[in-house]
Amino acid sequence: MRRQLSTAAIVIAIAATATACNSDGVDAKPENSAGAAQSQAPKDPAPAPDKGGADKGGADKGGAKGVDLAVGGTAELKAKNGAQIAVTLKDFVDPAKSNNKYTMPKAGKRWVAAQFEIVNKGQTVYDDSPRNGVKVLDEQGQTFTTSIGETTSGPNLPAAVKLKAGEKALGYVVVSVPENSKPQAVTFTPDSGFAKETGQWKVAK
């Protein structure tokens, strides 16, 4: 009787051991496990194709036009609403004198004056405050914007214009600069300076 019980216990132990081995998957080898892990791991996304170059600057999106223009040159520019204008720097006066004793440059400053002619060359109305789009650049890279004042050079450019096809505006824009500043260029940008295209003229002496 004892022999039968011992034999039965041995048989149960062997069966339990076999079941444990099958559930653990002892047949898997280390290198196969590595291969299986690699096949299940997500693949790295393919690199995006190189489109070449960095983001292009403003010159390719409109940017400065006529950077080599001299006084008397004309830049063809487009406003944000699509209006096509021809902008000519007719004159540049340095220094410019006030036409009255009550409005003068501040101490350490002097005035310069740029005369612009703006002609609407397209069919869309050009509606702008053009004096806000004028800047003077000096030899140090500093920029100066319009100032309040009128000069003996001539009438100011209107503060606001609304030009239909073929109409034009003419006048000076007064800019205050440091007394020792050396203006190098004058720029004009439609839409009070917020358009994509800019005209530039050299005025260095």
Side-chain angles (χ1 to χ4, degrees), residues 42-103:
K43 295 182 179 180
D44 292 333
D50 185 5
K51 295 182 180 179
D55 184 31
K56 294 183 178 180
D60 290 335
K61 300 176 182 177
K65 294 199 171 186
V67 293
D68 294 325
L69 288 175
V71 176
T74 300
E76 300 281 343
L77 305 174
K78 181 185 290 185
K80 292 172 69 176
N81 70 344
Q84 298 279 353
I85 57 174
V87 182
T88 304
L89 179 64
K90 305 281 285 185
D91 190 20
F92 185 75
V93 181
D94 181 14
K97 296 180 180 180
S98 175
N99 67 354
N100 70 81
K101 63 181 180 180
Y102 301 105
T103 307

